[in-house]
Amino acid sequence: MTPDGVDQPRGRAPGSPGLDAPTRSLVHVAVAVATGDTAALKQRLLAARALPVPEPWVDELLLQSLLNVGYALGLQAFGVWREVSPSPAPAEGLSHDAWRDWVERGARVCGAVYGRTYHKLLLNLRALHPALEGLVLVDAYGKLIGRDGLDLKRRELCTLAEIAVLDTPRQLHAHLRGALNTGSTAEEVDEVLALVEQDVDSGQALRVWELWADVRDKNFGKRDAGGGKRDR
């Protein structure tokens, strides 16, 4: 158990490359939000507050969690958070006067997450339903994920954690790549998935690690027998 109240992920020695303590604590909160375990969530929120993790980070995590886990679990998480921290931190509002800003910001932020697959994402969204492109770009990325209060790298790591809990492989694949696109190292992703592994069954954990192995291999190449990196 580390000083922030978060179990040290298996296979990682203290001081080795990975998440800093506040980010690790925030990701651990995200996992509990997605599992719906309110007792674990309260314990992790208390640990985060004591660390201290900046309270605006937690507020922003819970706001964006509405996109990943839905309103039922998201509002439940806010209820637990308000028991721990009664007053929300000052933050950007959600006035519809900002709609044009959301459009521009949403395209920019979504493009940063999806990288070279951004235009493919837009085509896929349009094929599923014409309204989805605007909902994802404007409401999700422009209105919520692009907000101030929490940087995009930490937002994407928390999104990755929640998606891994939900066991949705296509979305997980996208956000494993998204974490790398927004500046996370492979070691940081390893640690996020190790935290998720603590709260899901072994079959689901195996599927998550197998998908990450595939994404990691395609992004970083394979090691040949002589230890050199093979281009793909």
Side-chain angles (χ1 to χ4, degrees):
M1 182 78 71
T2 58
D4 59 334
V6 178
D7 292 333
Q8 183 74 24
R10 287 179 285 174
R12 183 168 302 289
S16 60
L19 304 175
D20 59 72
T23 303
R24 186 187 313 118
S25 184
L26 192 71
V27 168
H28 217 205
V29 168
V31 173
V33 171
T35 63
D37 185 339
T38 55
L41 177 59
K42 186 168 186 178
Q43 181 183 29
R44 294 174 193 183
L45 286 168
L46 287 167
R49 196 164 189 245
L51 190 56
V53 173
E55 295 197 9
W57 289 13
V58 180
D59 284 331
E60 292 300 319
L61 163 61
L62 298 187
L63 282 172
Q64 75 172 40
S65 293
L66 298 174
L67 304 169
N68 299 324
V69 304
Y71 275 84
L73 287 176
L75 292 175
Q76 174 177 272
F78 262 117
V80 177
W81 177 225
R82 288 293 159 249
E83 294 175 13
V84 173
S85 175
S87 300
E92 172 187 335
L94 290 174
S95 167
H96 283 280
D97 293 339
W99 188 85
R100 290 189 181 277
D101 293 334
W102 298 340
V103 172
E104 296 175 3
R105 187 167 72 179
R108 183 177 68 253
V109 174
C110 188
V113 170
Y114 281 85
R116 62 183 178 83
T117 65
Y118 172 63
H119 293 291
K120 181 179 178 182
L121 167 71
L122 299 186
L123 292 174
N124 290 341
L125 291 172
R126 293 167 194 161
L128 292 172
H129 192 282
L132 281 174
E133 181 179 352
L135 288 171
V136 169
L137 289 184
V138 181
D139 290 89
Y141 283 91
K143 188 184 293 185
L144 289 179
I145 297 173
R147 288 164 58 89
D148 294 332
L150 183 61
D151 61 276
L152 185 56
K153 175 182 172 179
R154 289 187 175 91
R155 285 185 181 277
E156 189 62 13
L157 287 173
C158 290
T159 293
L160 172 59
E162 292 179 342
I163 296 297
V165 169
L166 297 177
D167 199 16
T168 50
R170 288 178 64 89
Q171 286 70 36
L172 178 59
H173 184 277
H175 288 287
L176 285 165
R177 292 177 56 89
L180 300 176
N181 288 340
T182 52
S184 292
T185 65
E187 291 77 17
E188 288 170 327
V189 173
D190 284 343
E191 192 163 348
V192 169
L193 300 186
L195 291 171
V196 170
E197 184 179 16
Q198 296 173 9
D199 284 8
V200 300
D201 64 57
S202 58
Q204 184 173 340
L206 179 61
R207 291 189 294 275
V208 168
W209 284 112
E210 287 177 339
L211 188 54
W212 169 225
D214 180 63
V215 171
R216 183 169 180 163
D217 178 55
K218 289 177 179 176
N219 278 271
F220 296 103
K222 290 183 177 178
R223 295 283 173 178
D224 62 26
K229 193 172 183 179
R230 187 181 73 187
D231 293 331
R232 294 179 63 93

